Amino acid sequence: MSPDAPAFPRPLQGIVPPMVTPLLEADTLDPVGLERLVEHILAGGVHGLFILGTVGEAPALSHRARHDLVERVCAQVHRRVPVLVGLIDTSVIEALNLARQAAAAGADGLVLTAPYYYPASQADLLAYLRCVVPQLPLPVLLYNIPDRPAPVFDVETVKAASDMPNIVGLKDSSANMIYFRQLQSAMEDQPDFSLLMGPEMLLAEAVLLGAHGGVSGGANLLPRLYVDLYEAAHRRDIAQAQALHKTVMKLKATLFNVSRERSGFLRALKCALSCLGICSDFVAEPFRRFDEPNRQRVQQYLTELGITKNGLTRTT
Amino acid sequence: MSPDAPAFPRPLQGIVPPMVTPLLEADTLDPVGLERLVEHILAGGVHGLFILGTVGEAPALSHRARHDLVERVCAQVHRRVPVLVGLIDTSVIEALNLARQAAAAGADGLVLTAPYYYPASQADLLAYLRCVVPQLPLPVLLYNIPDRPAPVFDVETVKAASDMPNIVGLKDSSANMIYFRQLQSAMEDQPDFSLLMGPEMLLAEAVLLGAHGGVSGGANLLPRLYVDLYEAAHRRDIAQAQALHKTVMKLKATLFNVSRERSGFLRALKCALSCLGICSDFVAEPFRRFDEPNRQRVQQYLTELGITKNGLTRTT
Amino acid sequence: MSPDAPAFPRPLQGIVPPMVTPLLEADTLDPVGLERLVEHILAGGVHGLFILGTVGEAPALSHRARHDLVERVCAQVHRRVPVLVGLIDTSVIEALNLARQAAAAGADGLVLTAPYYYPASQADLLAYLRCVVPQLPLPVLLYNIPDRPAPVFDVETVKAASDMPNIVGLKDSSANMIYFRQLQSAMEDQPDFSLLMGPEMLLAEAVLLGAHGGVSGGANLLPRLYVDLYEAAHRRDIAQAQALHKTVMKLKATLFNVSRERSGFLRALKCALSCLGICSDFVAEPFRRFDEPNRQRVQQYLTELGITKNGLTRTT
Amino acid sequence: MSPDAPAFPRPLQGIVPPMVTPLLEADTLDPVGLERLVEHILAGGVHGLFILGTVGEAPALSHRARHDLVERVCAQVHRRVPVLVGLIDTSVIEALNLARQAAAAGADGLVLTAPYYYPASQADLLAYLRCVVPQLPLPVLLYNIPDRPAPVFDVETVKAASDMPNIVGLKDSSANMIYFRQLQSAMEDQPDFSLLMGPEMLLAEAVLLGAHGGVSGGANLLPRLYVDLYEAAHRRDIAQAQALHKTVMKLKATLFNVSRERSGFLRALKCALSCLGICSDFVAEPFRRFDEPNRQRVQQYLTELGITKNGLTRTT
């Protein structure tokens, strides 16, 4: 961490979009698209930027490409908002390598999953954290990844691990709201411990009842919408929060639902960014960009919903 | 593939142990233990050697360590049996890199999982195979990895992919025997397509009804036992196959069941190899070697069951 | 339905406790406890009463006992609030029999699960509803039962079935909040279609963003607490809703968590009612009442939390 | 049990078909079809008859219809083979009622599931068995029902319960072959404890390695085929067992796979019996009989495969 780095905000609050990774091909970043995308997102007033997450296709990228991305984004953001870098690896050695690169490049925080190939017990996970986290050069958010049958980190494991000063919060993409509420209860005595909601359909209610913010994929496209929703919920303006929540629900039911496959969200998101001229829609293996019929449906929804580079141009 | 490489056996038959990776610490091979282990396994008459699989902790190793292991094992085996190298990666670029290193080092085949972080559809998987397999420089076995709710590759996907000449078989660790039988039926017209059973408790019945062999983790410790079981089942000597199957069941219920955690098998296996003086019992994160009480239980079972470096010294 | 029955409220709103079934032994109601329990719950200002649900152990009771319970409760409630009767059966014939008994006894509504032994497709479920619902003599709420890997009725199935005038709402015990929000979006154009939340840890946020109420098991013990929470959320008093939500979280983490088994909630609830002298704590097979140590822990929590027959006697 | 009842065979061995229940409508047996079906099955040389199982749609029938079926079948079979009656109920009281009726009607054994609505722990299950089994008037097989994520009865629970003399075996429909082998190992010292395989695709290998027989749904249609397969495997004639196993695999891939829904097997089976003039193809809710296109596909497969009332009329 360079000496002039601002302190990491505790708790981290607001919208921290999980940035998609613009690609020209499997192992080549789209450098111009990347620049445009970063500025597009920052212009929406977001409170941080999370690169190399699930939406960022981190596990599908080579380590070389991951490193390249970290360098470019940190240089471009240049401390305007905190940059968080995902450590989603099966190998602790590779995760540590990336963490050190990220710190050297000027990143502000890390987002750490459990190793996910092997099914580890909660005791294994806690031992893992006690081994790895002290070696990490930046503040760390734990990360319950999506599409697993259960949250990875049990409430008790998070609570136990939270005595490590390096661990500053958790991003929960489990979509298990009972778990999230139990976690909140358990962490009530540590108000600086940031609890961020992954799935954007749960953002409104999460924040209304005390979550610190969201890691909303849709904020790649419409950063202002999610910032507005967060702020409405944060100031407890239910009417406004509910109205914006309905817009998010509509996006999820239309534009982001063009393909019902589980990869559909990512592919629709990249496709929409491409339609707006922001960046390439290339998607890494095992997925691929939308075909022409799906692209036309995305284009049509953009028109119908009034989505432009400048955001939602009319109330839906 | 060097010009003097023997043709890859089609179908690949027999016992192809998934070798554990002897480690001194997180990113350091145990070179002396590795040499001893390779010779110990080959002395048991196995029909191939599979490195960097699930039991080999591949996903937990750095790419550097994986490369190092491939070089050492290929050099040491020196064509005595086919060496297969696991490609268990979330990134196709990294998988291709390893594949090229393996071919250059003299490996004979590859064992390819689907990318496992993102939940891909069967259509995605087939497209993935059609993209990746032609770029692979060696014959390929597909690999259904363990501990997933369902086999990764549907029968129809395997059947469709089997028109690629590079794909020579499948290793099934799903433990779903109905799936395995359906796969056999579907591949009946391609008798050279090798179907190998992962879980060793299912080895006897798999081979009795036509499977080509097994990738039995226990063969790290007792290679001859599994070779004998395979051969008895292959020649349809049910009485002998059943007797050896019972020995395998006993091992799984005792020595390999010292810890009931899902990592218990791997840790018990490394511990037993260490007790016999073959290699280190270090286990990479997110797991760790057995503690002293568990090590003593392993030692006791070795004694009770009459297991030495030379195999089972008495009939159990 | 007798001629003087009040119209079924559309939408049904508020707290509709799923009543436990007081038992003296496996097939014998606790008639005195039952009377006390009904009055205890009604005194809390609830908006309806749901008997023979999951918490009511309906599937574990004989049909004779179910019938007996319906008669007694309908007679005692005597139209003070709507009485809803659960149809949780694997046999449509038995479900229809119970429905007719319930209507004759003066019940006001039915709560219908899908047949749950056989895994039916959504097409099967829709055909099932089109066959069964028109034969039911009372308004019907659909019921997604708890502890299944997924909600039983897909959003599209509910939407399609909602053209039957008899279907007046849905009780969701799936704990899948994304599903619940999608269901709300889909039913937005039918504001009379009642959406009730099962899990009480999700009651506050469900109602804050528009759910019609809750079927809260804890309201057997503390009906006023859940009614207050519902009303605070309904009038969008977030501060009050959050304070009461925290009390619910505390109950779930202490009193209702004495046993961590999945049957723990039911057994703790019956035990607490017994400690307060309201009804018997007998639990039908396959469960059984708490043993003495657990009963003492329940008693202790009741004291600590200040819970009496009259409710929470101090702010937690 | 009447005084002239033969002793229940220990272990129960061979093919015990789970009989479909011929229905004219939802609550009405097809009495003529039932008679024909019983004789058709018995003519195939089966070793027992299991009524009111999963394939028998027991959970979907009214208790009245279940009772009616028991009376008719016991009278007709008249001790020619043992008749086993399924107790698949959520209510122990109702299960006990049916058990007593079955004993009075002359049934020979019972097949008992765990109560399946509530997720019971293994301790609950064992306590349940210790409470219920001594009250049952006939020998009991435990029953792991299909389509659950895991076998219901853990190996340890079965082992512990097997000290009750009334429990004479277990029918495993979990399709988890590792579990089945572990169960065999655990019960090795009780050779009279019958282990029967549910899924017919696993019948050959189950019996080759020591299972006592199978509860094969396809034996409603082709009883002789499954009896022949059992006998070949039992006498360890692998070539013959494998040939018959391939016929079973072919049936499962064609005739029984006309609909891929999980109810497809049952509906195809009833449809095929109807095409052969044996009994009605009515299926109870939540399913329904095949439509005309599917019925024609069934008829075509019957012709192609050479299936008549008299069995397979040519080698497939």
Side-chain angles (χ1 to χ4, degrees):
Chain A
M1 199 158 26
S2 65
D4 60 341
F8 192 85
R10 297 202 177 188
L12 178 63
Q13 282 183 295
I15 298 297
V16 184
M19 198 180 74
V20 303
T21 301
L23 295 167
L24 294 178
E25 47 187 292
D27 203 32
T28 312
L29 297 182
D30 166 11
V32 179
L34 176 59
E35 274 191 41
R36 273 194 302 256
L37 178 62
V38 168
E39 295 310 319
H40 173 73
I41 294 173
L42 292 196
V46 301
H47 308 82
L49 193 61
F50 170 35
I51 61 174
L52 291 177
T54 301
V55 165
E57 297 175 87
L61 303 178
S62 71
H63 286 91
R64 199 199 53 68
R66 294 184 217 186
H67 191 178
D68 189 11
L69 184 79
V70 169
E71 294 286 346
R72 288 171 185 269
V73 172
C74 289
Q76 184 181 348
V77 172
H78 200 67
R79 306 288 179 205
R80 285 181 283 172
V81 296
V83 173
L84 288 85
V85 176
L87 304 180
I88 310 183
D89 215 299
T90 56
S91 160
V92 66
I93 305 294
E94 299 292 352
L96 287 170
N97 286 344
L98 181 59
R100 289 186 203 109
Q101 291 167 0
D108 301 279
L110 302 165
V111 183
L112 178 70
T113 64
Y116 48 87
Y117 184 82
Y118 295 102
S121 70
Q122 293 298 315
D124 290 329
L125 289 180
L126 188 54
Y128 173 80
L129 293 176
R130 295 220 179 278
C131 162
V132 173
V133 170
Q135 302 181 57
L136 293 175
L138 293 172
V140 176
L141 278 96
L142 303 179
Y143 181 12
N144 280 318
I145 57 178
D147 287 318
R148 302 290 136 154
V152 179
F153 295 105
D154 277 0
V155 170
E156 291 78 7
T157 304
V158 177
K159 187 69 188 167
S162 70
D163 65 3
M164 288 188 269
N166 227 14
I167 296 185
V168 299
L170 178 140
K171 177 202 165 185
D172 182 29
S173 292
S174 73
N176 181 333
M177 206 70 205
I178 288 180
Y179 165 82
F180 192 81
R181 294 305 174 201
Q182 290 174 324
L183 196 53
Q184 269 187 309
S185 295
M187 303 308 295
E188 218 169 8
D189 58 347
Q190 297 182 54
D192 281 358
F193 191 91
S194 182
L195 289 171
L196 302 179
M197 173 51 60
E200 54 203 77
M201 292 191 273
L202 304 177
L203 176 61
E205 64 202 278
V207 175
L208 276 172
L209 289 179
H212 296 91
V215 182
S216 311
N220 281 276
L221 184 67
L222 292 166
R224 178 62 63 193
L225 169 66
Y226 294 83
V227 168
D228 287 348
L229 171 48
Y230 161 74
E231 288 176 350
H234 185 63
R235 70 175 180 264
R236 297 189 161 181
D237 177 347
I238 297 192
Q240 179 68 359
Q242 188 159 26
L244 295 167
H245 165 73
K246 284 186 182 179
T247 302
V248 168
M249 293 305 293
K250 187 158 191 185
L251 286 170
K252 294 294 283 188
T254 55
L255 177 63
F256 293 146
N257 198 30
V258 159
S259 159
R260 295 211 161 194
E261 292 186 84
R262 286 202 272 180
S263 60
F265 175 65
L266 169 63
R267 295 156 81 198
L269 187 55
K270 281 199 149 177
C271 183
L273 290 166
S274 167
C275 290
L276 297 186
I278 293 172
C279 65
S280 160
D281 63 348
F282 186 93
V283 180
E285 292 285 349
F287 304 126
R288 54 218 73 241
R289 73 180 85 201
F290 269 167
D291 57 13
E292 195 52 35
N294 274 341
R295 188 178 173 94
Q296 284 174 18
R297 295 177 65 199
V298 166
Q299 183 60 66
Q300 192 176 344
Y301 278 129
L302 290 172
T303 306
E304 276 176 37
L305 299 165
I307 296 174
T308 72
K309 270 191 195 187
N310 300 318
L312 279 167
T313 56
R314 64 173 170 276
T315 309
T316 52
Chain B
M1 198 158 24
S2 65
D4 60 340
F8 193 85
R10 296 200 177 188
L12 178 63
Q13 282 182 295
I15 297 298
V16 184
M19 200 181 74
V20 303
T21 301
L23 295 166
L24 293 178
E25 48 186 292
D27 203 32
T28 311
L29 297 183
D30 166 11
V32 179
L34 175 60
E35 273 191 40
R36 271 193 302 254
L37 178 61
V38 168
E39 295 310 319
H40 173 72
I41 294 173
L42 292 196
V46 301
H47 307 82
L49 194 60
F50 169 34
I51 60 173
L52 292 177
T54 302
V55 165
E57 296 174 88
L61 302 178
S62 70
H63 286 91
R64 200 199 53 68
R66 295 184 216 184
H67 191 175
D68 189 11
L69 183 78
V70 169
E71 294 285 347
R72 289 173 185 270
V73 172
C74 290
Q76 184 180 347
V77 172
H78 202 63
R79 307 287 179 203
R80 285 181 285 173
V81 296
V83 173
L84 288 86
V85 176
L87 304 181
I88 310 183
D89 214 299
T90 57
S91 161
V92 66
I93 305 294
E94 299 292 354
L96 287 171
N97 287 344
L98 182 59
R100 290 188 203 107
Q101 292 168 359
D108 300 280
L110 303 165
V111 183
L112 179 69
T113 64
Y116 48 87
Y117 184 80
Y118 295 102
S121 69
Q122 292 298 315
D124 291 329
L125 289 180
L126 187 54
Y128 172 79
L129 293 176
R130 293 218 180 281
C131 164
V132 174
V133 170
Q135 301 181 58
L136 293 174
L138 293 172
V140 176
L141 278 97
L142 304 179
Y143 180 12
N144 281 317
I145 58 179
D147 285 320
R148 300 292 136 154
V152 178
F153 296 105
D154 278 0
V155 170
E156 292 78 8
T157 303
V158 177
K159 185 70 187 167
S162 71
D163 64 4
M164 289 187 269
N166 227 15
I167 297 185
V168 299
L170 180 140
K171 177 203 164 183
D172 183 29
S173 293
S174 72
N176 181 335
M177 206 70 204
I178 288 181
Y179 165 83
F180 192 80
R181 294 306 174 199
Q182 290 174 323
L183 197 53
Q184 269 188 311
S185 295
M187 303 308 295
E188 216 170 8
D189 57 348
Q190 296 182 54
D192 282 358
F193 191 91
S194 183
L195 290 171
L196 302 180
M197 173 50 61
E200 55 204 77
M201 291 190 274
L202 304 178
L203 176 62
E205 63 202 281
V207 175
L208 276 172
L209 288 179
H212 296 91
V215 182
S216 312
N220 281 277
L221 184 67
L222 292 167
R224 178 62 64 191
L225 169 65
Y226 294 83
V227 168
D228 287 348
L229 171 48
Y230 161 74
E231 288 176 350
H234 185 64
R235 69 174 180 265
R236 298 188 158 181
D237 177 346
I238 298 191
Q240 180 68 359
Q242 188 158 27
L244 296 166
H245 165 73
K246 285 188 181 176
T247 302
V248 168
M249 293 304 294
K250 186 156 193 185
L251 287 170
K252 294 293 283 189
T254 55
L255 176 63
F256 293 145
N257 198 32
V258 159
S259 159
R260 296 211 161 195
E261 292 186 86
R262 286 203 272 180
S263 60
F265 174 64
L266 169 64
R267 295 155 80 198
L269 186 55
K270 281 199 150 176
C271 184
L273 290 165
S274 166
C275 289
L276 297 187
I278 294 173
C279 66
S280 160
D281 64 348
F282 186 93
V283 181
E285 291 285 347
F287 304 126
R288 54 217 74 242
R289 73 179 86 202
F290 270 167
D291 56 13
E292 196 52 34
N294 275 340
R295 187 179 174 93
Q296 284 174 16
R297 294 177 65 203
V298 166
Q299 183 60 67
Q300 191 176 345
Y301 278 130
L302 290 172
T303 306
E304 276 176 36
L305 298 165
I307 296 173
T308 73
K309 269 192 197 185
N310 300 318
L312 278 167
T313 55
R314 64 174 170 276
T315 310
T316 52
Chain C
M1 199 159 24
S2 66
D4 60 342
F8 192 85
R10 297 200 177 188
L12 178 63
Q13 283 183 294
I15 298 297
V16 184
M19 198 180 76
V20 303
T21 301
L23 295 167
L24 293 179
E25 49 186 292
D27 203 32
T28 310
L29 298 182
D30 165 12
V32 179
L34 175 59
E35 273 191 40
R36 272 192 303 253
L37 177 61
V38 168
E39 295 310 319
H40 173 72
I41 294 173
L42 292 196
V46 301
H47 308 82
L49 194 60
F50 169 35
I51 61 173
L52 291 176
T54 302
V55 165
E57 296 174 87
L61 302 178
S62 71
H63 287 92
R64 200 199 53 67
R66 295 184 216 184
H67 191 175
D68 188 11
L69 183 78
V70 169
E71 294 286 347
R72 288 174 185 269
V73 172
C74 290
Q76 185 181 346
V77 173
H78 202 64
R79 307 288 179 202
R80 285 181 284 172
V81 295
V83 173
L84 288 85
V85 176
L87 304 181
I88 310 183
D89 214 299
T90 57
S91 161
V92 66
I93 305 294
E94 299 293 352
L96 287 170
N97 286 344
L98 182 60
R100 290 187 202 107
Q101 291 167 0
D108 300 279
L110 303 166
V111 183
L112 179 69
T113 64
Y116 48 87
Y117 184 80
Y118 296 103
S121 70
Q122 292 298 314
D124 290 330
L125 289 180
L126 187 55
Y128 173 80
L129 292 176
R130 294 219 180 280
C131 163
V132 174
V133 170
Q135 301 181 58
L136 293 175
L138 292 172
V140 176
L141 278 96
L142 303 180
Y143 180 12
N144 281 318
I145 57 179
D147 285 320
R148 301 290 136 155
V152 179
F153 295 105
D154 277 1
V155 170
E156 293 77 9
T157 304
V158 177
K159 185 70 187 167
S162 71
D163 65 3
M164 288 188 270
N166 227 15
I167 296 185
V168 300
L170 179 141
K171 177 203 164 184
D172 183 28
S173 293
S174 72
N176 181 336
M177 206 70 204
I178 287 181
Y179 165 84
F180 192 80
R181 294 305 174 200
Q182 290 174 322
L183 197 52
Q184 269 188 310
S185 294
M187 303 308 296
E188 217 170 8
D189 58 347
Q190 297 181 54
D192 282 359
F193 191 91
S194 182
L195 289 172
L196 303 179
M197 174 50 61
E200 55 205 78
M201 289 190 274
L202 304 177
L203 176 61
E205 63 202 279
V207 174
L208 276 172
L209 288 178
H212 295 91
V215 182
S216 312
N220 281 276
L221 185 67
L222 291 167
R224 178 61 65 192
L225 169 65
Y226 294 84
V227 168
D228 287 348
L229 171 49
Y230 161 74
E231 288 176 349
H234 185 64
R235 70 174 180 265
R236 298 188 158 182
D237 178 346
I238 298 191
Q240 180 68 359
Q242 189 159 27
L244 295 167
H245 164 73
K246 285 187 181 177
T247 302
V248 169
M249 293 305 294
K250 186 156 193 185
L251 286 170
K252 293 294 283 189
T254 54
L255 176 63
F256 293 146
N257 198 31
V258 160
S259 158
R260 296 211 160 194
E261 292 186 85
R262 286 203 271 180
S263 61
F265 174 65
L266 169 63
R267 296 155 80 198
L269 186 55
K270 281 199 148 176
C271 184
L273 290 166
S274 166
C275 289
L276 297 187
I278 294 173
C279 66
S280 159
D281 63 349
F282 186 94
V283 181
E285 291 286 348
F287 305 125
R288 56 218 72 242
R289 74 180 85 204
F290 270 167
D291 57 14
E292 196 52 34
N294 275 341
R295 187 179 174 93
Q296 284 175 16
R297 294 177 65 202
V298 166
Q299 184 59 68
Q300 192 177 344
Y301 278 129
L302 290 172
T303 306
E304 276 176 35
L305 298 165
I307 296 174
T308 73
K309 269 192 196 184
N310 300 318
L312 278 167
T313 55
R314 65 174 169 276
T315 309
T316 51
Chain D
M1 200 160 22
S2 64
D4 61 341
F8 192 84
R10 296 202 178 187
L12 178 63
Q13 282 182 295
I15 298 297
V16 184
M19 198 180 74
V20 303
T21 301
L23 295 168
L24 293 179
E25 47 187 292
D27 203 32
T28 311
L29 297 183
D30 166 11
V32 180
L34 175 59
E35 274 191 41
R36 272 194 301 255
L37 178 62
V38 168
E39 295 310 318
H40 173 73
I41 295 172
L42 292 196
V46 301
H47 307 83
L49 194 61
F50 169 35
I51 61 174
L52 291 177
T54 302
V55 165
E57 296 174 86
L61 302 178
S62 71
H63 287 92
R64 198 199 54 67
R66 295 184 216 186
H67 191 177
D68 189 9
L69 184 79
V70 169
E71 294 285 347
R72 287 172 186 269
V73 171
C74 289
Q76 184 181 345
V77 171
H78 200 67
R79 306 288 179 203
R80 285 181 284 173
V81 297
V83 173
L84 288 86
V85 176
L87 304 180
I88 309 183
D89 214 300
T90 57
S91 161
V92 66
I93 305 294
E94 299 291 353
L96 287 170
N97 286 343
L98 182 59
R100 289 186 203 109
Q101 290 166 1
D108 301 279
L110 302 165
V111 183
L112 179 69
T113 65
Y116 48 87
Y117 184 81
Y118 295 102
S121 69
Q122 293 297 316
D124 291 328
L125 289 181
L126 188 54
Y128 173 80
L129 292 176
R130 295 220 179 279
C131 163
V132 174
V133 170
Q135 301 181 58
L136 293 174
L138 292 172
V140 176
L141 277 95
L142 304 179
Y143 181 11
N144 280 318
I145 57 178
D147 287 318
R148 301 290 137 157
V152 179
F153 295 106
D154 278 0
V155 170
E156 292 77 8
T157 304
V158 177
K159 186 70 188 168
S162 70
D163 65 4
M164 289 188 269
N166 227 13
I167 295 185
V168 299
L170 178 140
K171 177 202 164 184
D172 182 28
S173 293
S174 72
N176 181 334
M177 206 71 204
I178 288 181
Y179 166 82
F180 192 81
R181 294 305 174 202
Q182 290 174 324
L183 197 52
Q184 269 187 311
S185 295
M187 303 308 295
E188 218 169 9
D189 58 346
Q190 297 183 53
D192 282 357
F193 192 91
S194 182
L195 289 171
L196 302 180
M197 173 51 60
E200 54 204 77
M201 291 190 274
L202 304 178
L203 176 61
E205 65 203 275
V207 175
L208 277 172
L209 288 180
H212 296 91
V215 182
S216 312
N220 281 274
L221 184 67
L222 292 166
R224 177 62 63 190
L225 169 67
Y226 295 83
V227 168
D228 287 348
L229 171 49
Y230 161 74
E231 288 176 350
H234 184 64
R235 70 174 179 265
R236 297 188 159 183
D237 177 345
I238 298 192
Q240 179 67 0
Q242 189 159 26
L244 294 167
H245 165 72
K246 285 186 182 179
T247 302
V248 168
M249 293 305 293
K250 186 156 192 185
L251 286 170
K252 294 295 282 190
T254 55
L255 176 63
F256 293 146
N257 198 30
V258 159
S259 159
R260 294 210 162 195
E261 293 187 85
R262 285 203 273 183
S263 60
F265 175 64
L266 170 63
R267 295 156 81 199
L269 187 56
K270 281 200 150 177
C271 183
L273 290 166
S274 166
C275 289
L276 296 187
I278 293 172
C279 66
S280 160
D281 62 349
F282 187 93
V283 180
E285 291 285 349
F287 304 126
R288 54 218 73 242
R289 74 179 86 201
F290 270 167
D291 57 13
E292 195 52 34
N294 274 341
R295 187 178 174 94
Q296 283 174 18
R297 294 177 65 200
V298 166
Q299 182 60 66
Q300 191 177 342
Y301 278 130
L302 290 173
T303 305
E304 276 177 37
L305 298 165
I307 296 174
T308 73
K309 270 191 194 185
N310 300 319
L312 279 167
T313 55
R314 64 173 170 277
T315 310
T316 52

